């Protein structure tokens, strides 16, 4: 200290004031260090009693926790979807106009439903919720990635074991599944990141709404259920636990609709792969196939167009790609998928097991035999144009009837698609379907089926016609003959226009070829002359 005073003496500074300042600095630093150390120790002590669970928005458990969000004391108000990848999910704090006021007879406003107001916790803030005698600390954070942002939840509770968190997760799971039991989740393949993206939840479609030839639906449903229950049987015999179904036939015959209905009946999600999508390669497809869950439906649509670009889907097409043009070369999508890569992804060493593979094609003759052999495609189902039996069933599905006394005594062996559905329980609207007697609906359905030519009209075309007349069952039957004539004329006109266009294109090509030939002849003659 004396040496320090000797240094400051020649400068004329007051050493006592500097000493006091240094003492304050040392004391203050010591106090602050002690404060921070005590806070850190206390937080560590308190955190040692907390159990914490983390939930990512990219996984299902994130959605399970949403119903309790409405209890938060600080929240965001939004009318957008708030679930995993924009899944619509209600919470206990959501506002519903029907709860606030009497139900209006006009359910829609300007052609769309009223927006629902949702409450979600504000991000980066700790929320406190009381649950079963425990205070839960919930924090929602946002994270950003290359393909967008997603949220994460962190739930903490003071408890001796994790029983309270297990109870919370299981209860939330049951509530969520109760709400989602009538929906089928659709996942699409993302070739950019070789992963699956949630694409939406669709209402389940009842099997009775699918009208196929007798026993086809029952056969497929029974086969799928038997496969899902036979995992041990496959393992005991060393057979890969995989099953493939090939649905082939004319366009618009109900192949995709049947898959949707089967998924709802079996309670499975659908994973869709477009083999002709941009950037699809062998490695990408193998990665996607390896990440498919064990219990799901894997759908490969338009299998015949997997390795071709710019082909026609009509019956006259040979399946060969059209000649490449300069524009096509400039827009090359970089797809390098090969038949060998597809085969390896279906039943290779890294292929997933336990999934139901469904493939659809309009031209089975174009498929390579290695792709459609048993072991890859075990069950084949042919879809044709609508028969009279199907036309009658489709008509009954569209128009409900008032059940008669004798209908309750019908045999249970009657196909569900041939039964008249009961009237809708929803409230009456401006487009309500008239409820007719069951006997009258049956008679109209028979007349409608008799007017439909066997195997000429597609199921999609019949459905389109019935949709246009969904409130006019009697007029629908009376006008069906006129509609069939219009359809035939439209097909003939389209065919004639196509033939004229092809003839014109051939003529242009021939004129171009003849002009080039004449020019070459004149050029050679000049050189000889």
């Amino acid at each position: 200290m004396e040496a320090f005073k000797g240094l400051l003496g020649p400068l004329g500074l007051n050493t006592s004031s500097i000493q006091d300042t240094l003492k304050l600095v040392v004391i203050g630093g010591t106090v602050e260090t002690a404060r921070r150390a005590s806070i850190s120790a206390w937080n560590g002590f308190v955190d040692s009693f907390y159990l914490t669970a983390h939930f990512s928005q990219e996984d299902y458990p994130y959605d399970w926790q949403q119903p309790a969000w409405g209890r938060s004391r600080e929240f965001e108000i939004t009318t957008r979807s708030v679930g995993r990848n924009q899944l619509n999910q209600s919470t206990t704090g959501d506002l519903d106009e029907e709860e606030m006021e009497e139900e209006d007879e006009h359910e829609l406003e300007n052609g769309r439903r009223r927006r629902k107001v949702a409450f979600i916790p504000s991000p980066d803030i700790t929320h406190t919720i009381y649950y079963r005698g425990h205070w839960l600390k919930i924090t929602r954070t946002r994270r950003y990635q290359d393909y967008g942002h997603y949220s994460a939840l962190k739930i903490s509770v003071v408890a001796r074991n994790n029983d309270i968190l297990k109870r919370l997760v299981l209860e939330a799971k049951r509530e969520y599944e109760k709400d989602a039991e009538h929906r089928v989740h659709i996942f699409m393949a993302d070739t950019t990141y070789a992963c699956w993206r949630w694409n939406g939840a669709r209402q389940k479609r009842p099997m009775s709404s699918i009208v196929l030839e007798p026993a086809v639906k029952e056969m497929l449903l029974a086969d799928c259920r038997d496969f899902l229950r036979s995992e041990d049987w496959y393992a005991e015999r060393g057979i890969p636990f995989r099953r493939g179904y090939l649905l082939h036939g004319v366009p618009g015959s109900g192949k995709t609709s049947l898959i949707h209905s089967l998924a709802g009946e079996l309670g499975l999600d659908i994973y869709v792969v477009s083999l002709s999508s941009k950037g699809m390669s062998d490695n990408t497809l193998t990665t996607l196939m390896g990440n498919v869950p064990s219990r799901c439906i894997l759908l490969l649509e338009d299998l015949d167009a997997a390795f071709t670009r710019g082909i026609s889907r009509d019956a006259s097409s040979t399946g060969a790609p059209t000649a490449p043009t300069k524009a096509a070369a400039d827009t090359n999508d970089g797809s390098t998928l090969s038949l060998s890569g597809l085969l390896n992804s279906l039943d290779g060493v890294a292929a997933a097991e336990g999934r139901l593979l469904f493939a659809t094609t309009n031209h089975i003759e174009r498929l390579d035999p290695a792709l459609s052999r048993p072991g890859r495609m075990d069950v084949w189902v042919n879809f044709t144009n609508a028969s009279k039996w199907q036309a009658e069933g489709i008509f009954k599905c569209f128009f409900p009837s008032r059940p008669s006394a004798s209908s309750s005594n019908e045999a249970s062996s009657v196909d569900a698609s041939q039964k008249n559905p009961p009237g809708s329980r929803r409230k009456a609207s401006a487009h309500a379907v008239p409820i007719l007697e069951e006997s009258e609906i049956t008679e109209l359905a028979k007349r409608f089926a008799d007017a439909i030519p066997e195997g000429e009209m597609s199921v999609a075309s019949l459905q389109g016609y019935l949709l246009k007349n969904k409130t006019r069952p009697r007029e629908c039957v009376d006008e069906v003959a006129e509609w069939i004539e219009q359809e035939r004329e439209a097909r003939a006109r389209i065919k004639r226009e196509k033939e004229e266009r092809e003839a014109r294109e051939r003529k242009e090509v021939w004129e171009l070829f003849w002009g080039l030939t004449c020019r070459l002849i004149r050029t050679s003659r000049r050189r000889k002359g």
Side-chain angles (χ1 to χ4, degrees):
M1 185 62 68
E2 295 297 333
F4 183 70
K5 293 179 179 179
L7 292 174
L8 297 179
L11 299 177
L13 298 177
N14 188 357
T15 57
S16 60
S17 61
I18 296 178
Q19 290 178 4
D20 295 339
T21 302
L22 291 176
K23 290 178 182 179
L24 291 176
V25 170
V26 172
I27 294 174
T30 303
V31 172
E32 179 64 19
T33 302
R35 187 186 68 84
R36 294 187 180 185
S38 61
I39 292 177
S40 179
W42 174 255
N43 290 337
F45 176 76
V46 173
D47 291 342
S48 64
F49 293 93
Y50 273 97
L51 296 175
T52 303
H54 297 267
F55 303 89
S56 173
Q57 189 178 10
E58 294 184 335
D59 201 1
Y60 278 113
Y62 181 88
D63 294 333
W64 301 345
Q65 313 305 321
Q66 291 191 38
W69 285 4
R71 307 174 189 174
S72 174
R73 304 291 295 179
E74 186 169 353
F75 45 80
E76 292 179 350
I77 298 179
T78 179
T79 58
R80 300 184 181 276
S81 303
V82 296
R84 174 171 51 90
N85 297 326
Q86 311 310 317
L87 170 64
N88 289 320
Q89 173 68 18
S90 60
T91 69
T92 57
D94 292 347
L95 293 180
D96 196 341
E97 292 185 9
E98 294 181 357
E99 299 177 358
M100 307 299 292
E101 57 185 13
E102 294 184 0
E103 194 173 290
D104 190 5
E105 62 177 357
H106 300 291
E107 187 178 7
L108 303 180
E109 292 183 353
N110 300 324
R112 65 180 182 183
R113 295 187 182 275
R114 300 186 183 96
R115 290 188 179 273
K116 193 173 185 178
V117 180
F119 288 5
I120 59 176
S122 300
D124 303 323
I125 294 177
T126 300
H127 307 267
T128 303
I129 296 177
Y130 188 76
Y131 172 77
R132 292 185 178 271
H134 293 79
W135 288 99
L136 305 181
K137 294 171 59 178
I138 301 180
T139 305
R140 186 172 72 96
T141 58
R142 286 177 179 172
R143 302 176 182 176
Y144 295 88
Q145 295 182 348
D146 296 337
Y147 52 84
H149 67 86
Y150 73 98
S151 299
L153 279 181
K154 184 178 72 173
I155 301 180
S156 301
V157 60
V158 177
R160 291 177 295 179
N161 51 51
N162 58 1
D163 291 343
I164 185 64
L165 289 179
K166 290 181 179 179
R167 185 179 301 177
L168 171 66
V169 172
L170 293 178
E171 181 178 337
K173 177 178 179 292
R174 285 193 296 267
E175 293 295 328
Y176 177 82
E177 290 179 344
K178 185 187 300 183
D179 178 67
E181 64 181 356
H182 301 294
R183 292 178 294 183
V184 175
H185 294 272
I186 310 296
F187 294 85
M188 300 294 295
D190 187 343
T191 57
T192 303
Y193 298 95
C195 61
W196 296 99
R197 299 292 179 207
W198 186 84
N199 192 56
R202 308 289 185 267
Q203 289 292 330
K204 291 183 179 180
R205 181 168 182 172
M207 289 292 289
S208 59
S209 65
I210 306 297
V211 184
L212 299 177
E213 291 302 320
V216 174
K217 293 186 301 183
E218 291 75 11
M219 181 273 295
L220 281 175
L221 187 58
D223 190 88
C224 291
R225 285 175 172 167
D226 179 71
F227 168 77
L228 295 174
R229 292 193 297 259
S230 305
E231 184 174 2
D232 294 337
W233 188 92
Y234 277 79
E236 292 173 357
R237 289 155 180 80
I239 303 174
F241 187 49
R242 291 187 285 263
R243 192 75 169 164
Y245 301 85
L246 180 60
L247 311 184
H248 61 94
V250 297
S253 54
K255 297 185 286 292
T256 305
S257 299
L258 174 61
I259 296 172
H260 181 191
S261 182
L262 282 173
E265 192 72 20
L266 299 172
L268 303 177
D269 297 335
I270 301 178
Y271 288 73
V272 184
V273 179
S274 178
L275 299 177
S276 58
S277 60
K278 180 179 179 181
M280 181 63 73
S281 63
D282 294 347
N283 292 334
T284 301
L285 183 60
T286 302
T287 303
L288 289 170
M289 293 296 193
N291 293 333
V292 172
S294 59
R295 299 297 175 122
C296 71
I297 289 180
L298 179 61
L299 175 58
L300 305 179
E301 291 189 305
D302 294 332
L303 196 59
D304 55 287
F307 312 106
T308 56
R309 300 292 186 269
I311 68 171
S312 174
R313 296 180 64 189
D314 58 17
S316 62
S317 175
T318 62
T322 57
T325 61
K326 184 178 184 300
D330 294 339
T331 59
N332 183 20
D333 56 13
S335 299
T336 59
L337 181 64
S338 63
L339 176 61
S340 175
L342 175 59
L343 298 180
N344 290 331
S345 66
L346 292 180
D347 59 0
V349 177
E353 295 189 355
R355 84 289 186 275
L356 296 172
L357 173 65
F358 279 84
T360 64
T361 177
N362 297 329
H363 306 282
I364 191 173
E365 68 278 358
R366 300 178 187 170
L367 297 183
D368 191 281
L371 188 58
S372 57
R373 69 164 177 80
R376 292 191 176 107
M377 301 298 167
D378 305 286
V379 181
W380 293 17
V381 180
N382 183 27
F383 287 73
T384 61
N385 285 328
S387 62
K388 293 182 178 295
W389 187 87
Q390 286 179 288
E392 182 178 352
I394 294 173
F395 186 91
K396 291 180 178 179
C397 286
F398 265 80
F399 300 105
S401 63
R402 186 181 299 108
S404 60
S406 61
S407 62
S408 59
N409 299 324
E410 289 185 352
S412 59
S413 59
V414 178
D415 191 281
S417 60
Q418 294 293 321
K419 296 180 181 179
N420 297 321
S424 175
R425 296 181 180 180
R426 295 183 178 181
K427 63 180 182 179
S429 64
H431 303 285
V433 180
I435 307 298
L436 305 181
E437 294 293 338
E438 185 174 4
S439 58
E440 183 177 2
I441 287 292
T442 302
E443 179 63 26
L444 291 175
K446 291 181 178 179
R447 287 175 51 195
F448 180 80
D450 292 338
I452 300 298
E454 185 77 22
E456 180 178 343
M457 313 301 295
S458 67
V459 175
S461 62
L462 291 182
Q463 180 173 311
Y465 173 72
L466 292 174
L467 281 173
K468 292 189 298 184
N469 298 274
K470 59 181 178 293
T471 60
R472 306 166 61 243
R474 300 185 181 92
E475 295 82 353
C476 175
V477 176
D478 297 336
E479 300 171 0
V480 64
E482 180 182 355
W483 171 74
I484 292 175
E485 292 299 324
Q486 294 175 356
E487 286 291 308
R488 289 172 175 172
E489 294 176 359
R491 292 180 182 179
R493 183 177 66 255
I494 294 174
K495 182 178 179 180
R496 184 172 59 255
E497 293 176 353
K498 180 180 179 181
E499 292 175 350
E500 292 176 353
R501 182 174 64 255
E502 292 177 349
R504 187 164 55 252
E505 292 175 354
R506 288 195 297 268
K507 182 179 179 181
E508 292 175 355
V509 171
W510 173 252
E511 290 177 351
L512 178 60
F513 174 76
W514 180 251
L516 292 175
T517 303
C518 294
R519 185 178 302 174
L520 290 175
I521 293 175
R522 288 195 297 268
T523 303
S524 60
R525 287 179 178 176
R526 291 196 197 97
R527 291 178 179 177
K528 292 179 180 180

